[in-house]
Amino acid sequence: MDSFQKDIDERANLSLSNKFELLLFRLGKGEHAEHSELYGINVFKLREIVPMTKVNRAAGMEPPLLGMANIRDQIIPVIDLPAVTGCVPETGLNLLLITEYARSVQAFAVESVENIVRLDWSQVHAAEAGVNSRNITSIASLDHEDHQGELALVLDVEQILYDILPSGRNVDVTRIQDKSYTLKPGAVAIVAEDSKVAREMLEQGLKGMGIPAIMHVTGLAAWEKIKEIAAQANADGVPITDRIGLVLTDIEMPEMDGFTLTRNIKTDSSLKSIPVIIHSSLSGSANEDHVRNVGANGYVAKFDANELSGVIASALEDAAK
């Protein structure tokens, strides 16, 4: 048990050094592919890997939703991941990846699992401009001895779940419009989020709160924008909070993760007054501990607009004191 806990702690602490671990797996050949592509998800989102089990299809369920399975006395949906990505497994659906995203648990059926590799977020690049797939959020360049020079396609699981499962698709802004936000006139929110569907939901939510936002796909892009605005604020002789009201960041992002972005802000004397809120599909006490350690002003799990609005209002109120 001590060894197991040590592994968990080591994995959690990777996020404090802009590193993470990626589970690599294969789904079969794509329609025009000559070989089976490597795919990946963050190990932090993985509960366990189990052999393919009995799946019960309920009335009205349609592919790629295979049905429901009983995993350790919990009934969870099973998703045919090769079908989602347009792949055909050569040996069948052999394993289930049990994952937890944004307060939900689901199983992804895959053909095979390769291994786990440790990467720096600088090895991961946004895929929106280079990959023609709504289900891929980024591309990881691998330097592991078994995959030297290979690329892994990192799945946008939030997009996949949004497309397949109807719950959580709508952003209900009706309950958040009465909130009071102590944002200075002309100040904006800087948002960093690599998932397209999550960005769209955040944009809707912030619009409902009356908070103007500048959206970014990577933590590095957000950081560069923050430095640019800070330089202009300094030249104009005004506090940074006159220009940036808050920063809202995901944890997992290409090039620079949310913990590193937050730490960069909070260790800079000219920026540390900016409220930073971390918004992530990663759950667990380890992440919440890291949120406190890097100095973030709040943490909220994806995606509840009313809860997010409450955290934002509280962080802005505290910052204004």
Side-chain angles (χ1 to χ4, degrees):
M1 180 60 72
D2 290 343
S3 176
F4 179 72
Q5 185 61 48
K6 182 180 178 182
D7 289 343
I8 292 176
D9 292 341
E10 286 182 358
R11 189 160 287 150
N13 288 330
L14 287 175
S15 55
L16 294 180
S17 55
N18 207 41
K19 297 180 185 294
F20 73 112
E21 287 185 331
L22 192 69
L23 174 73
L24 300 176
F25 54 89
R26 297 192 187 270
L27 303 175
K29 291 184 179 180
E31 185 179 355
H32 303 293
E34 296 181 1
H35 57 85
S36 179
E37 295 276 10
L38 266 179
Y39 289 85
I41 61 169
N42 193 327
V43 171
F44 238 136
K45 294 180 175 178
L46 183 70
R47 277 194 175 186
E48 61 179 323
I49 303 171
V50 300
M52 189 65 184
T53 188
K54 181 181 179 182
V55 177
N56 298 303
R57 183 185 295 274
M61 284 188 176
E62 298 180 357
L65 190 59
L66 291 175
M68 309 295 289
N70 187 331
I71 307 295
R72 304 193 188 283
D73 296 323
Q74 184 175 10
I75 306 300
I76 62 175
V78 178
I79 297 166
D80 183 345
L81 205 47
V84 170
T85 58
C87 294
V88 178
E90 297 177 86
T91 62
L93 299 174
N94 303 311
L95 298 170
L96 292 178
L97 309 182
I98 313 301
T99 64
E100 184 172 359
Y101 284 83
R103 315 177 199 199
S104 67
V105 178
Q106 52 281 312
F108 291 105
V110 304
E111 181 175 33
S112 63
V113 167
E114 295 276 309
N115 54 19
I116 292 173
V117 294
R118 185 166 293 187
L119 301 172
D120 191 285
W121 277 111
S122 63
Q123 295 173 248
V124 183
H125 305 282
E128 290 191 333
V131 174
N132 185 25
S133 174
R134 68 188 278 110
N135 299 316
I136 304 300
T137 186
S138 53
I139 301 174
S141 301
L142 306 180
D143 55 11
H144 189 270
E145 58 183 8
D146 294 334
H147 302 285
Q148 195 70 41
E150 285 192 78
L151 301 175
L153 305 177
V154 182
L155 290 172
D156 187 346
V157 177
E158 283 140 342
Q159 181 70 61
I160 293 170
L161 296 178
Y162 178 88
D163 289 341
I164 296 171
L165 303 176
S167 61
R169 290 186 184 176
N170 298 317
V171 178
D172 182 7
V173 299
T174 59
R175 296 186 298 158
I176 63 178
Q177 293 173 342
D178 293 333
K179 295 281 187 183
S180 176
Y181 306 100
T182 54
L183 209 67
K184 294 182 180 179
V188 301
I190 299 295
V191 180
E193 170 60 65
D194 65 329
S195 169
K196 181 179 179 181
V197 67
R199 279 199 310 278
E200 290 173 350
M201 294 174 79
L202 285 172
E203 202 162 20
Q204 290 179 55
L206 291 170
K207 184 177 180 181
M209 299 174 208
I211 298 176
I214 303 175
M215 313 300 290
H216 301 85
V217 177
T218 74
L220 182 60
W223 175 236
E224 294 297 334
K225 187 64 176 179
I226 290 167
K227 291 192 294 181
E228 175 189 324
I229 294 175
Q232 188 60 55
N234 183 59
D236 294 341
V238 299
I240 184 61
T241 49
D242 280 11
R243 302 293 171 81
I244 301 176
L246 72 132
V247 172
L248 182 60
T249 179
D250 187 16
I251 294 177
E252 301 177 283
M253 289 179 294
E255 299 174 351
M256 180 187 290
D257 68 23
F259 287 137
T260 302
L261 174 61
T262 303
R263 189 167 56 248
N264 286 351
I265 295 168
K266 293 301 183 179
T267 56
D268 188 312
S269 59
S270 65
L271 302 176
K272 64 182 182 181
S273 59
I274 301 172
V276 179
I277 296 166
I278 292 179
H279 177 251
S280 177
S281 61
L282 293 177
S283 57
S285 58
N287 278 306
E288 294 183 27
D289 288 342
H290 289 336
V291 168
R292 289 187 288 270
N293 290 339
V294 297
N297 301 85
Y299 172 86
V300 61
K302 296 178 182 177
F303 182 84
D304 183 299
N306 193 51
E307 184 179 337
L308 177 62
S309 71
V311 174
I312 289 176
S314 178
L316 290 174
E317 183 180 349
D318 290 344
K321 291 178 181 178

